[in-house]
Amino acid sequence: MDRISELPEYIAHHILSFCNTSDAPPAELVRMSVLSKTWFHLTASFPILNFKIDNFRSRDSFFKYVEYTTSRFYHQDLTAYRFRIKATLEAPAELDIVNRCLELLLKKGVTKLVIDITNSSESVIPKYRLPNILLSVSVLKYLTIRGCDLPSSLLVDALKFKSLIYLELEHVYMDEEAIKYLTASCPLLQVLRVFYCHGFKRFCVYGHQNLQSVTIYSDSLLEKIDIEAPKLCRLVVLDYHRRGPPQITLASCKKLRTVAYCGYPLANSNGFTDFLSNLQFIKKLVLVTKYKYNNLKLSSNSLRTLVLNLEFDLEEIEFSTPNLDLFIYSCDPWYIRHATSHLPHLKACMRCYPDGSIDTLWFQRLRIFLDKKNGFKALNLYINTKQKFIVLENLKAIELPPYELEHIELHFEHEESSDYAAFVDAVLWCCRPRSLSLRSSFSLTDFEEQSDLVKYTYRKLLEQEDQSRTIVQIVSPSSSKARKQFWGLMPLLGGSLREEKAISFIKEEGTLFMN
């Protein structure tokens, strides 16, 4: 039975929205017409228009479809909620079609607008410039512009973006005056994202009362970032120019909590100190750089999360952060992007993603780093498929007492290896934990009490204790006993240990009687 035709139009449109994804070609929607006699009427009035040239067999069919659909929509006196067009232009006629269609839809108003128009490498037509009518769409809330020029009358006409809360610009030329004008004319703007835009050396936003998040990716010279926004809570800067971080002024941003910088920042450690000098309220700092200098020193009473992806050895890093909950350290940017998803977040925790080979010197540096009064209670080590363990038995000759920890997590990305026993031995030379968990994401691996690695880990943990007074129990990390053991290490905002193939060891006072 044709149930769809009996539904109210707004409910049918809601169902249709699940078919009209960014990757669904129009042909898929046409095939769905067998379900309802009113299907074509529904698609004609559907307020979400999504045009992506890659979904069409030919360029000609794409531009004919865009022109026909937008014309029909306009003449039916309908208003689009979301309009997205993504295309690469090759001929002047294609540019004219895009411009006519966009103007028709903007006359009726649109809430979400994504314009992704670029020229092919072989094209000689001018870059597409957005029509001036765009500046008068007062109902617009979300605007994304990629590869286009801003309207010619931007600094002349009165901008009516009174509802805009999200603005993203990518490969768009704009000067410093355009930045100031755009932000000043969007009083409700909350999120501003600027990717690889040229024409400015200074990024200045003054007196904005609602701006909360700013992201700037730059591959040209950026000298200064000056933002006055009392609600700003997040700033991300990616700098590929290799001249170091720009001068940053955020004195009025009392709610700023997260700062991330990726680039080639500094000729010396004082430069980085200057970079952080007015970030006294932040709780999370992410630093990604391939440039190395003598050492890295940080001091912050507010910092709770510190993420470092750099080529510094642990012995070259010093920080005074008495309230730090989580420190993530890696030499590989891939792990920084995925770090928060792999292991449970424990309070006062160091999470380390070694890169390349792990040898005796690496563990010695880790042990010395833990002694720098950082106050870590938990250590997470993530071992990937490329890891190599080199002569770890030489650690026995280094006379350093093991560092006392509440808990250790060892996460292995691949199946059990004979090298793992030497790695566990090295970890337990470095640290003496009250509990330890072995975890694996490998699809065929399962830690069991009878596995060689589990037996070896059990024996080594027991050797650290007075065996007449201490027992080591083997439990599942999700068991009530394990949860009770880990509870004091969980973050203040709550959370649970991630379910995966794992086994935990817990040291307790007592005597284990054997038959």
Side-chain angles (χ1 to χ4, degrees):
M1 297 179 63
D2 182 4
R3 300 284 190 182
I4 294 178
S5 297
E6 299 176 6
L7 294 172
E9 188 173 88
Y10 74 95
I11 294 180
H13 279 166
H14 180 69
I15 296 172
L16 189 60
S17 68
F18 293 100
C19 306
N20 193 273
T21 65
S22 60
D23 298 317
E28 296 296 327
L29 298 179
V30 173
R31 291 190 188 103
M32 295 290 287
S33 64
V34 298
L35 297 178
S36 170
K37 61 187 178 183
T38 63
W39 187 263
F40 288 111
H41 166 72
L42 290 171
T43 55
S45 61
F46 188 51
I48 297 179
L49 302 178
N50 185 21
F51 305 124
K52 187 177 179 181
I53 197 168
D54 293 344
N55 290 333
F56 288 76
R57 294 181 179 178
S58 69
R59 302 183 61 81
D60 185 59
S61 62
F62 169 75
F63 287 103
K64 283 183 177 179
Y65 179 77
V66 171
E67 192 167 30
Y68 168 74
T69 305
T70 54
S71 177
R72 183 185 60 187
F73 209 80
Y74 176 78
H75 291 298
Q76 287 181 340
D77 200 26
L78 298 173
T79 300
Y81 173 72
R82 185 174 73 213
F83 176 70
R84 177 177 183 258
I85 183 168
K86 181 177 182 180
T88 302
L89 305 181
E90 294 182 353
E94 296 174 349
L95 189 150
D96 292 339
I97 290 173
V98 169
N99 198 60
R100 285 199 306 270
C101 294
L102 184 56
E103 285 189 339
L104 285 178
L105 288 171
L106 292 179
K107 287 179 181 178
K108 300 295 183 181
V110 61
T111 302
K112 295 185 176 182
L113 180 60
V114 178
I115 307 172
D116 190 347
I117 302 294
T118 56
N119 291 358
S120 69
S121 57
E122 301 174 355
S123 174
V124 294
I125 62 174
K127 194 174 184 180
Y128 177 59
R129 182 176 292 278
L130 295 166
N132 290 327
I133 192 176
L134 171 66
L135 306 177
S136 62
V137 184
S138 59
V139 297
L140 194 61
K141 289 186 177 181
Y142 303 88
L143 175 60
T144 298
I145 301 172
R146 299 191 182 105
C148 310
D149 282 337
L150 296 173
S152 58
S153 64
L154 175 64
L155 300 179
V156 178
D157 293 347
L159 189 59
K160 297 180 180 178
F161 288 166
K162 304 303 180 183
S163 303
L164 197 69
I165 60 176
Y166 178 96
L167 176 60
E168 180 176 327
L169 303 170
E170 182 173 344
H171 291 293
V172 174
Y173 180 87
M174 58 179 181
D175 58 22
E176 295 167 12
E177 288 300 315
I179 296 173
K180 293 179 183 178
Y181 186 72
L182 272 172
T183 53
S185 302
C186 305
L188 299 183
L189 190 66
Q190 298 177 14
V191 178
L192 176 58
R193 296 164 63 86
V194 177
F195 298 100
Y196 311 116
C197 293
H198 298 80
F200 63 92
K201 294 182 178 180
R202 298 188 174 198
F203 186 93
C204 302
V205 178
Y206 298 126
H208 204 292
Q209 299 302 309
N210 290 292
L211 193 61
Q212 299 176 20
S213 176
V214 173
T215 301
I216 305 171
Y217 282 19
S218 175
D219 56 1
S220 59
L221 179 59
L222 180 60
E223 297 177 347
K224 182 177 182 180
I225 297 175
D226 189 355
I227 301 176
E228 293 180 4
K231 292 185 179 180
L232 187 72
C233 57
R234 182 175 182 269
L235 174 66
V236 178
V237 179
L238 186 149
D239 173 27
Y240 282 128
H241 198 263
R242 305 192 181 193
R243 287 194 56 180
Q247 177 187 348
I248 295 182
T249 304
L250 303 164
S252 68
C253 304
K254 307 295 185 183
K255 293 187 177 181
L256 185 65
R257 295 296 179 264
T258 299
V259 173
Y261 177 80
C262 176
Y264 295 78
L266 321 158
N268 55 67
S269 57
N270 291 331
F272 187 67
T273 303
D274 294 340
F275 172 67
L276 295 175
S277 61
N278 64 345
L279 305 180
Q280 55 184 315
F281 304 109
I282 63 170
K283 295 185 179 296
K284 180 177 181 179
L285 173 64
V286 179
L287 175 63
V288 182
T289 177
K290 292 298 180 183
Y291 194 99
K292 186 176 179 180
Y293 42 88
N294 294 332
N295 52 42
L296 177 66
K297 295 182 179 181
L298 294 172
S299 178
S300 172
N301 291 324
S302 63
L303 207 60
R304 297 295 183 89
T305 299
L306 175 61
V307 182
L308 299 181
N309 172 222
L310 30 75
E311 294 184 348
F312 289 84
D313 293 325
L314 285 171
E315 63 189 18
E316 299 168 325
I317 301 173
E318 294 183 15
F319 48 81
S320 175
T321 52
N323 295 305
L324 196 68
D325 279 341
L326 177 62
F327 171 51
I328 298 177
Y329 170 78
S330 170
C331 295
D332 188 335
W334 185 90
Y335 291 115
I336 292 300
R337 293 194 296 270
H338 297 81
T340 56
S341 64
H342 287 308
L343 296 173
H345 169 21
L346 305 176
K347 284 178 60 180
C349 173
M350 176 180 176
R351 185 180 300 175
C352 191
Y353 295 80
D355 183 43
S357 300
I358 297 179
D359 55 13
T360 298
L361 182 58
W362 189 89
F363 270 103
Q364 186 178 358
R365 288 169 173 167
L366 174 62
R367 175 62 188 85
I368 294 172
F369 178 78
L370 291 172
D371 254 344
K372 292 182 179 179
K373 298 181 180 180
N374 294 310
F376 294 120
K377 296 181 180 179
L379 174 66
N380 291 348
L381 291 178
Y382 187 91
I383 309 304
N384 63 47
T385 54
K386 301 177 182 179
Q387 220 74 65
K388 294 181 180 179
F389 307 106
I390 302 176
V391 216
L392 295 180
E393 61 268 18
N394 292 341
L395 282 167
K396 303 285 178 70
I398 303 173
E399 296 183 358
L400 284 174
Y403 186 81
E404 301 284 340
L405 285 172
E406 292 290 324
H407 184 65
I408 291 177
E409 296 269 353
L410 303 181
H411 184 109
F412 301 102
E413 194 178 69
H414 50 99
E415 60 184 328
E416 189 170 321
S417 162
S418 57
D419 291 332
Y420 286 174
F423 177 72
V424 169
D425 196 20
V427 170
L428 295 181
W429 167 86
C430 183
C431 303
R432 179 173 175 256
R434 286 186 57 205
S435 59
L436 181 147
S437 293
L438 302 177
R439 296 179 176 271
S440 173
S441 59
F442 189 74
S443 59
L444 300 179
T445 301
D446 196 0
F447 291 123
E448 297 178 352
E449 291 190 30
Q450 299 306 314
S451 78
D452 292 338
L453 183 60
V454 170
K455 290 179 181 178
Y456 185 83
T457 305
Y458 173 84
R459 187 168 68 252
K460 287 296 180 179
L461 284 169
L462 202 55
E463 287 177 1
Q464 289 186 325
E465 308 297 329
D466 181 348
Q467 297 182 30
S468 65
R469 296 184 178 183
T470 305
I471 62 173
V472 176
Q473 291 203 5
I474 302 176
V475 298
S476 165
S478 60
S479 68
S480 59
K481 180 178 285 292
R483 289 180 179 277
K484 182 179 179 181
Q485 169 70 17
F486 304 147
W487 180 255
L489 297 173
M490 297 303 289
L492 295 175
L493 296 179
S496 60
L497 291 175
R498 182 183 173 198
E499 283 296 331
E500 57 185 340
K501 294 169 183 178
I503 196 164
S504 291
F505 306 82
I506 299 176
K507 296 177 181 177
E508 293 182 336
E509 290 187 3
T511 304
L512 187 63
F513 294 96
M514 305 290 291
N515 290 331

